[in-house]
Each structure stands twice: as C-alpha cells, then as structure tokens.
C-alpha cells in the first residue's frame, strides 16, 4: 500500500502505457514522503507479469522487486559498511557496466539512485553520459530531498517529478491499516510524510516527547548542559545508531519553530503539536519573523551537513547553539 501520490502515479502509469517513460527521472520531495516506494512501484508496474491489474504485487517479479532481490532493479546507494555516506565513482562505474549487459528477464531495467545527493563529484560526472544515452531498456530514477546539491548537468538530463505532502486523512488511513496507535496524532507530527510517520510510531509518541523535553532543558541551561545533551544523544555510537536520533531532533526543532511561526504570524492554522502551544507562544515574539527564517536555514544546513557526511555531534552542537542564540532569554520556557 502506498499512501498518497495518486496523481504522480497516474502520470507515470500513463507514460508506461504509452511507451514514453523518460529514461532519467528525478524524484524530489521531503524525506520520508514515499519517493523510494513509488520508484519501486514504477519498476513493478513496468515489469509485472499479471495480465490484469498492474502492478499486482503477487507475481514472482513484483515479489522480487519488493524484496530487493530482482537483478534488473539495481539500487545505487552508499555502502553501509563504509564510514563515508557517499556513493563512490567505482560503484557508479560498476553499475554502468552492469547496465550495459542484457537484461535478465524484465521488460525494463531500473537503476535507483538513493539519495542522489550522496553522489561524490567524480561519481556524478561518471554518470552524466549514461544519463544522456542510457542502454536500451534501462531507466534511471534519482531520488533527492533537495536538488540544490546536484550538479546542474545532472538536473538538466532528468525529468523532474515533485512529491508533495500526503493529505492528513490519507496518512491516517495508511497508519490505521498498519495498526499504529494514536494514528491522528502521529499523522499530524509526520507532516504528510509516511516514512516519518512510521519512524515516529516506532519510537512512540512518549519517546518523541522525551526527546523534545530533553532538548528544551539543554538549551535552557548553560553551555556545558547543552554539550552534555549532545554527547548523550550521539556519543559512543556508530552513524547507523545516532543518525535516526539526530534526524528526530531536527524534526522536533523544525516542528517547534513552525508552531512558533504560526503563533507569531497569527495564521489560522493548526499547530503541529497542540501540546507544545506554551512553548510556541513563548518563542513566537522572539523568533517571528527573522528568527524563524534563521532557524529554517539552520535546519536546512543541518540536513545538508548530514548528507555531506558531517559528524552527528558537530551537527547537533551547531544547531542547538544557533537555536539558543536566536532565543536568547526566551530559551528558558516559563
């Protein structure tokens, strides 16, 4: 089941049916919104062996693609065994060679690059010619949260497909089908991103609340307390362990800043988390509007630094210090 993106999928279906699917697609949109899931759905759609509804999800081809075992759906992503979260040029060259071979048993081969921002400069350059003139029957799907980090020559060779937030009602239905507790609250916090919703559901609303309270306590105290919070969150663990915690912290700060902007601007919008209204009301007079813009940039910078393989401790320290400075005395919530 895919939550939302009906119009995107219908456009892709029509292109497949017409035989006019672009050979290089750039899926762009928020993290966790479902871009990779739609990429896998597209590979299933193009290769499903069912004669009726496609993709059926039940034929051997659909099952292989869903499990990541189909030889004609190649995933180009950072090596989890390596310290650097980048896609190296050697890996790109290997995939290009593989894409030049005959397909195994599919109508169309797909190479899914996720995240495209992880392409090292040499790797991106190595991919350029193949994006322009791919082997017959091979399509590339590049997945990106932000296209600003991609080479302009990469962007120009791709057809851009933009993914927006999933409507809250559809996201609630998606969560209910998975038996998620408090689906309405989780959907509101997820801001239209099914992947984010599942992460929040897994850690639990209490876990997200505890992280928020820990962060608020850290910025309210002295610099030593802030650094201690950062060390506790990130220190002594590998990237695979601390990255989800840092992502969650960034989301918590982003949500609080958004709610402060809603209160500060007087917009007729629901808060992301009504339970944090006292924080939003205390922050709003200080952050709106200049501090909101500064913090939005700080959040974007934090995410960009993580994609560039910065250390979690560095990212957290910088983001919390920026928030502390923007808030001034208001960091101590009454």
């Amino acid at each position: 089941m895919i939550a939302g993106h009906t119009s995107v999928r219908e456009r892709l279906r029509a292109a497949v049916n017409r035989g006019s699917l672009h050979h290089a697609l750039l899926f762009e949109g928020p993290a966790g919104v479902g871009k990779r899931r739609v990429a896998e759905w597209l590979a299933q759609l193009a290769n499903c062996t069912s004669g009726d509804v496609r993709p059926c999800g039940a034929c051997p081809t659909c099952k292989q693609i869903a499990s990541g075992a189909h030889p004609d759906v190649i995933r180009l992503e950072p090596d989890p065994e390596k310290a650097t979260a980048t896609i190296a040029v050697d890996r790109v060259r290997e995939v290009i060679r593989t894409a030049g071979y005959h397909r195994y048993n599919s109508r169309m081969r797909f190479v899914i690059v996720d995240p495209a921002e992880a392409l090292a400069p040499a790797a991106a350059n190595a991919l350029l010619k193949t994006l322009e003139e791919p082997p017959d029957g091979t399509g590339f799907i590049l997945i990106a949260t932000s296209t600003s980090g991609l080479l302009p020559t990469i962007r120009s060779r791709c057809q851009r497909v933009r993914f927006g937030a999933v409507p809250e009602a559809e996201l609630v239905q998606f969560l209910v089908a998975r038996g998620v507790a408090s689906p309405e609250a989780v959907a509101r916090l997820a801001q239209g991103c099914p992947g984010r919703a599942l992460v929040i559901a897994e850690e639990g609303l209490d876990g997200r609340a505890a992280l928020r309270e820990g962060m608020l306590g850290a910025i309210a105290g002295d610099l030593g307390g802030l650094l201690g919070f950062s060390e506790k969150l990130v220190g002594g663990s590998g990237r695979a362990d601390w990255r989800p915690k840092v992502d969650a912290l960034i989301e918590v700060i982003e949500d609080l800043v958004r709610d402060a902007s809603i209160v500060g601007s007087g917009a007729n919008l629901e808060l992301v988390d009504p339970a944090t209204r006292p924080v939003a009301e205390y922050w709003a007079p200080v952050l709106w509007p200049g501090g909101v813009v500064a913090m939005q940039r700080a959040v974007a910078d934090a995410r960009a630094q993580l994609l560039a393989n910065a250390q979690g401790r560095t990212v957290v320290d910088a983001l919390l210090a920026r928030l502390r400075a923007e808030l001034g005395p208001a960091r101590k919530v009454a």
Side-chain angles (χ1 to χ4, degrees), residues 60-124:
T61 296
C62 282
K63 287 183 176 179
Q64 276 189 308
I65 293 172
S67 67
H70 199 289
D72 285 326
V73 178
I74 303 168
R75 291 162 176 81
L76 184 54
E77 52 198 354
D79 186 343
E81 300 299 321
K82 293 187 176 180
T84 56
T86 57
I87 301 173
V89 64
D90 290 346
R91 175 62 179 142
V92 170
R93 288 171 178 158
E94 176 189 341
V95 167
I96 290 172
R97 284 195 299 271
T98 301
Y101 301 152
H102 289 296
R103 298 187 296 281
Y104 285 83
N105 61 350
S106 63
R107 289 187 290 272
M108 187 170 185
R109 174 191 286 125
F110 286 90
V111 177
I112 300 174
V113 186
D114 183 22
E117 298 100 319
L119 287 165

Side-chain angles (χ1 to χ4, degrees), residues 88 97 128 139 163 191 229 270:
R97 284 195 299 271
L128 281 174
F163 286 71
Q191 292 291 285
F229 171 81
E270 289 188 15

